Amino acid sequence: MDDGVCAVTRSTDLRRHARLLHQAHDERLAGSRPTTALRRVVSRSWDRVLSYGVAPDGRALDDPAAPEVVERRRAESPIAGVLPQLRASLTAVAEDAEHIMVITAADGFVLWREGAVRVGRLADSLGFLPGADWTEAAVGTNAIGTALAEHASVQLFSAEHFVRAQHPWTCTASPIHDPRTGEMLGVVDLSGPAPTVHPTTVALVHTAVRLAETGLWAAHETRLDGLRAVAAPLLARESAPALVVDDHGWVAASTGLAPRDRVGVPRAGEALLVHGLGACLPERVPGGWLLRPSTATGPGATRLRLDLDADPPGAVVEGREEWRHALGRRHLQILALLMRAGGEGLDAAAISRALYDDADHLVTVRAELSRLRRVLGGLIAARPYRIAPGVAVVPPSAQDTARLFGAAATPLQPWS
């Protein structure tokens, strides 16, 4: 079996494969190396689960959250807005295929569960209920928890699950992301009896999630259209460059500036440095924010550099004033790559190869770039990813590069 997302192929002998997986499970728990090779995604998950101290025979789960808590979490979840699309894509299929559709939040909290009634009763006996915690730390290796841990689609079959009570099951899960921010919102899963496993379920769930994300983006565009109606008269009165953006920094309209899709995330009372505008103090307008220079001196030059000696380390943006943005190691690495790449920039595959030694982490890279752009906004351009034109950069020194990537590597080596 290869290490693809699918747990089986069309030609897999399910009975024989299940027996081999049970044998590998027993061998691993006995402390010996399994004679049947496990997929890497399963082996990694078992390593994590063992470190959490999950008991393979454990059945004692925390009680699910109270119904009022479940209802509140549902109302707060952005997934609620695309729940009808997910139901249209998956619920009828789940019922026909003896599966249940399960949707969780990004912390593994089960929000919705619906589908085949008989399978639902079996899920009840596992504690697989709305309000339950379905992370790896709570219930061992399972498609939902492992998809959350791996940030990737996962299909599991039979004894690939760590807890023996889940061995009669198969499950296929795919993370759903907010297309505006790259933030993981939760996981969509189809689960059912192990003999119903099929490789096409992976594509089915993945496609349903992509359609739902398209719906989330369409709702975002609708909100921006509404904000444009508010922006038009505001910007008509501006003699200097200005922008109107939503709460996530997406640009609804602008005047006196080159087109751009996004700036940093505005916050009340906090100055925001916008490329081409300089220092702005965001002003609330219905549905968003008005950004214009905070002084009459006009936009200033913008310079970007890293400061790894600060506590915490981060990026320094110098304009009319200076701002420091604390960044984690991964965001510092990405920023260093872009600063060294120059105007040609890098695509997601190149960044993936530099960070992970392969081009298979495109979703993760795009999500990280989206989060980074929430902080630095218009200072980072896309398609390809690069430092925005007109922003002066101070490339990281060789010493800083070694601190970020290791003394034996430079960030351009993996694809040069």
Side-chain angles (χ1 to χ4, degrees):
M1 185 68 60
D2 64 26
D3 196 40
V5 176
C6 297
V8 298
T9 67
R10 292 176 183 270
S11 61
T12 299
D13 182 332
L14 297 184
R15 287 182 180 273
R16 179 177 181 276
H17 188 45
R19 284 197 305 271
L20 293 174
L21 289 173
H22 278 85
Q23 178 182 332
H25 187 271
D26 292 342
E27 290 168 341
R28 180 65 187 275
L29 292 180
S32 59
R33 183 172 182 175
T35 54
T36 297
L38 293 169
R39 293 187 296 151
R40 289 191 294 275
V41 66
V42 175
S43 183
R44 288 194 299 268
S45 178
W46 286 9
D47 287 342
R48 289 191 296 266
V49 168
L50 286 166
S51 73
Y52 299 147
V54 176
D57 295 311
R59 287 180 173 272
L61 301 178
D62 293 336
D63 291 335
E68 59 269 23
V69 176
V70 175
E71 288 304 318
R72 175 177 58 79
R73 292 289 303 268
R74 287 172 173 174
E76 292 172 351
S77 173
I79 301 175
V82 291
L83 183 60
Q85 292 169 265
L86 289 168
R87 283 174 169 154
S89 299
L90 295 177
T91 300
V93 175
E95 291 173 347
D96 292 342
E98 286 292 286
H99 275 62
I100 50 175
M101 179 185 74
V102 181
I103 300 172
T104 77
D107 61 357
F109 184 97
V110 178
L111 294 169
W112 291 276
R113 195 200 76 187
E114 48 197 61
V117 174
R118 183 183 74 85
V119 180
R121 288 196 291 266
L122 295 174
D124 290 345
S125 67
L126 283 178
F128 197 10
L129 300 158
D133 177 356
W134 221 249
T135 58
E136 288 184 334
V139 295
T141 301
N142 70 93
I144 291 170
T146 304
L148 289 170
E150 296 275 336
H151 291 259
S153 298
V154 176
Q155 183 179 57
L156 294 175
F157 169 67
S158 187
E160 289 183 322
H161 294 86
F162 183 79
V163 175
R164 288 191 174 96
Q166 298 171 32
H167 287 185
W169 288 78
T170 181
C171 46
T172 305
S174 185
I176 180 170
H177 295 85
D178 187 332
R180 300 168 302 172
T181 65
E183 175 188 7
M184 187 190 297
L185 301 177
V187 165
V188 178
D189 168 83
L190 282 183
S191 290
T196 64
V197 66
H198 201 282
T200 58
T201 308
V202 173
L204 175 65
V205 176
H206 182 80
T207 300
V209 166
R210 296 291 86 79
L211 289 173
E213 289 175 344
T214 299
L216 289 169
W217 183 259
H220 162 69
E221 291 282 8
T222 298
R223 288 189 291 270
L224 277 186
D225 284 341
L227 185 54
R228 289 184 182 105
V230 173
L234 290 174
L235 296 180
R237 297 195 293 267
E238 293 293 326
S239 58
L243 298 164
V244 173
V245 303
D246 72 1
D247 288 334
H248 297 277
W250 289 93
V251 178
S254 65
T255 183
L257 291 165
R260 64 196 64 197
D261 58 359
R262 196 175 184 185
V263 300
V265 176
R267 293 182 176 87
E270 294 185 15
L272 179 70
L273 187 63
V274 178
H275 178 51
L277 281 183
C280 299
L281 195 63
E283 304 169 49
R284 256 300 181 190
V285 298
W289 301 85
L290 173 64
L291 303 179
R292 52 188 172 181
S294 59
T295 70
T297 59
T302 303
R303 191 172 77 145
L304 179 65
R305 62 182 174 87
L306 302 184
D307 185 356
L308 302 188
D309 295 319
D311 185 16
V316 178
V317 182
E318 300 169 342
R320 188 178 302 107
E321 300 179 42
E322 179 179 290
W323 284 269
R324 293 177 177 268
H325 302 276
L327 298 175
R329 181 180 180 84
R330 183 63 77 202
H331 283 169
L332 286 168
Q333 288 175 328
I334 292 173
L335 197 54
L337 291 170
L338 299 181
M339 294 170 78
R340 282 185 147 327
E344 294 184 2
L346 302 168
D347 61 16
I351 296 173
S352 177
R353 286 192 292 271
L355 298 179
Y356 302 101
D357 293 325
D358 60 50
D360 300 333
H361 291 72
L362 301 185
V363 172
T364 301
V365 166
R366 290 174 182 136
E368 293 289 2
L369 259 300
S370 186
R371 296 185 191 105
L372 184 58
R373 294 183 77 201
R374 288 187 69 188
V375 177
L376 299 179
L379 302 185
I380 300 177
R383 303 186 190 94
Y385 296 113
R386 63 198 187 281
I387 304 301
V391 177
V393 300
V394 180
S397 66
Q399 181 182 6
D400 284 346
T401 298
R403 291 166 67 183
L404 285 173
F405 295 91
T410 65
L412 294 182
Q413 279 182 343
W415 63 82
S416 61

